[in-house]
Amino acid sequence: KEERPETEQLVIIGSGPAGLSAAIYAARAGLRPVIVAPPIGGQLQGKGVGVENYPGVNESTGPALVEAMQRQAARYGAVFEQDLVAQVDLTKRPFTIATNDTRIQTHAVVLATGADSRWLGAEGEYHFRGGGVSTCATCDGFLYAGKEVVVVGGGDTAMEDALVLARTSKSVTVIHRRDAFRASKVLAERVLNHDKIKVIWNAVVEAFEGITVRTLSNGLTVQLTEDGSVVEEDFSKVRVKEIRERLDAAGISYAGIKDKEELVRVLQAGIAEAVAGGGEEDGDEGGGGLVEEKPALTRVRLKYVNGGEGPAEVACAAAFVAIGHDPNTKIVENQLEMDGGGYLKVTAGSTRTSLPGVFAAGDVADQVYRQAITSAATGAMAALDAERWLSEQGHCTK
């Protein structure tokens, strides 16, 4: 393996919000940090991840936010080593970080390797990620306000998600594979006694199913069949308020019209006009004014276990998988103190781990908040902690 000739001041492992925030702060402090991480990966880089709750960022995507952070870090002198970390040796100083091709020695390390969401592995789960299937109710729950949603799981996280979603959703159905929750008694009782939450016991999600939604050039949306043709909507159960919201979103005037049938005709005319006015110039070979197509979850199909009985499927606009996370700490196993879940232990009020010179930022040390903004905050803390430690050790004298 190629070995870098000089010992680095600081190596940051991970390039999510925590690692990149640490890189920006460390670079501006003159530490010229090296960020070691593959070019793709991390929670924000996942399929269908949108960002709407990061202050100052409006309707961005996870990959776009990460790219902006990378550019900012590089601007101030951070160096990127785009490769997977194969081994970390913290047993002697300077520390050694080995990738598939390079061996890097460093005086200090920030671990920002994150934690991976656990998924069910059910049919359709990946396809509908970003189209209704999520692992973060705090991030995505608001998108489904007033709609029916599902939570899968039986631990504290599932209970907390169900209670959060119940504030804004029309109804919440919790699906659990056992006949009792694993969650704390207090949380479980709050869920069981909530009038907007129902529970289906002894059931697992066998498949996530739904439709494809096309956004037209004027902002209106239509549903597509499997062969790509437009579904003719049944407006008999659609409320007037919903029709008006769709017309408002498309900027279509309906001034003076109060009758539902008339409003439906205005909406249908808007759809027909956008479909007819599309064509190949909009990137849709079959016409239709295509701007975007994306999957939209409409139901989950269930399979019952342990003698459970109930509905074969549950209608929903979103399903939140809340079965836990796995912190990415195997590369430092038996070298740093961790809790029972494998998360790195840090000194309260800091990012210092059990080994001087090693710092932890983001979800790798956080099993409570798990948000991009809290990860970025601890990344900044880690850089500041690392800078102080390096100065105390006499490594920042040049």
Side-chain angles (χ1 to χ4, degrees):
K1 293 184 180 183
E2 179 186 349
E3 187 154 349
R4 287 176 178 259
E6 295 183 3
T7 299
E8 304 292 345
Q9 300 276 30
L10 176 65
V11 168
I12 300 166
I13 304 176
S15 62
L20 292 171
S21 176
I24 292 166
Y25 271 72
R28 287 175 60 87
L31 298 181
R32 200 170 180 269
V34 176
I35 302 98
V36 184
I40 58 173
Q43 296 274 41
L44 280 184
Q45 299 272 49
K47 178 178 182 287
V49 176
V51 179
E52 296 187 355
N53 59 355
Y54 198 99
V57 177
N58 293 300
E59 298 183 359
S60 181
T61 65
L65 180 60
V66 168
E67 183 184 358
M69 289 180 174
Q70 289 173 337
R71 288 199 306 267
Q72 188 176 6
R75 174 187 173 191
Y76 294 118
V79 178
F80 288 85
E81 182 75 29
Q82 294 188 322
D83 202 351
L84 281 168
V85 172
Q87 187 178 15
V88 176
D89 184 359
L90 304 175
T91 60
K92 58 182 182 295
R93 298 176 189 274
F95 304 130
T96 301
I97 313 297
T99 71
N100 293 322
D101 301 316
T102 311
R103 190 182 302 274
I104 307 169
Q105 291 193 317
T106 180
H107 294 303
V109 176
V110 170
L111 291 164
T113 49
D116 293 334
S117 299
R118 294 176 190 164
W119 295 94
L120 299 171
E123 178 186 340
E125 184 177 51
Y126 182 79
H127 178 68
F128 287 102
R129 280 170 61 176
V133 174
S134 171
T135 57
C136 185
T138 302
C139 313
D140 301 328
F142 181 78
L143 302 175
Y144 304 97
K147 299 180 180 179
E148 297 172 328
V149 301
V150 158
V151 174
V152 183
D156 283 351
T157 299
M159 302 299 101
E160 290 166 356
D161 284 359
L163 292 166
V164 166
L165 291 164
R167 297 178 198 147
T168 56
S169 302
K170 180 180 179 181
S171 68
V172 180
T173 301
V174 178
I175 299 169
H176 186 42
R177 61 180 177 171
R178 298 188 175 94
D179 60 2
F181 290 134
R182 295 178 290 105
S184 65
K185 183 179 179 182
V186 172
L187 283 174
E189 286 182 349
R190 285 180 62 195
V191 166
L192 292 170
N193 293 328
H194 201 292
D195 58 1
K196 289 177 67 176
I197 302 175
K198 62 180 178 181
V199 181
I200 296 178
W201 304 104
N202 295 314
V204 296
V205 174
E206 189 171 45
F208 296 89
E209 300 175 338
I211 57 173
T212 299
V213 173
R214 171 178 293 176
T215 301
L216 302 173
S217 56
N218 60 2
L220 290 174
T221 59
V222 293
Q223 297 178 14
L224 303 182
T225 61
E226 290 185 3
D227 64 5
S229 58
V230 177
V231 174
E232 187 172 339
E233 286 188 67
D234 177 8
F235 290 98
S236 61
K237 296 181 180 179
V238 179
R239 295 179 300 172
V240 169
K241 179 183 177 182
E242 294 174 13
I243 298 171
R244 286 174 174 163
E245 287 175 349
R246 291 176 66 179
L247 291 169
D248 287 338
I252 298 175
S253 174
Y254 55 90
I257 301 175
K258 298 181 179 180
D259 181 70
K260 179 180 177 180
E261 290 185 4
E262 286 294 323
L263 288 169
V264 168
R265 277 194 280 272
V266 173
L267 179 58
Q268 289 174 327
I271 292 172
E273 182 180 353
V275 169
E280 295 183 8
E281 66 182 21
D282 291 316
D284 179 17
E285 296 180 359
L290 169 63
V291 172
E292 180 186 27
E293 284 184 3
K294 63 185 296 185
L297 186 73
T298 59
R299 61 190 176 276
V300 294
R301 193 168 75 239
L302 304 181
K303 175 183 176 182
Y304 288 88
V305 295
N306 305 321
E309 295 181 347
E313 60 182 40
V314 176
C316 60
F320 295 88
V321 180
I323 57 175
H325 294 75
D326 294 312
N328 296 308
T329 52
K330 288 186 179 179
I331 57 172
V332 291
E333 201 169 20
N334 300 320
Q335 299 186 79
L336 298 173
E337 287 186 16
M338 304 177 191
D339 65 15
Y343 289 85
L344 292 175
K345 288 185 175 182
V346 295
T347 303
S350 80
T351 62
R352 297 190 299 272
T353 68
S354 57
L355 184 64
V358 181
F359 308 88
D363 292 3
V364 75
D366 173 20
Q367 56 181 310
V368 178
Y369 300 104
R370 292 193 292 265
Q371 299 295 302
I373 191 166
T374 53
S375 292
T378 56
M381 290 169 60
L384 294 170
D385 287 343
E387 180 193 1
R388 292 191 187 103
W389 183 84
L390 287 164
S391 296
E392 290 169 359
Q393 303 303 309
H395 293 308
C396 293
T397 55
K398 292 184 180 180

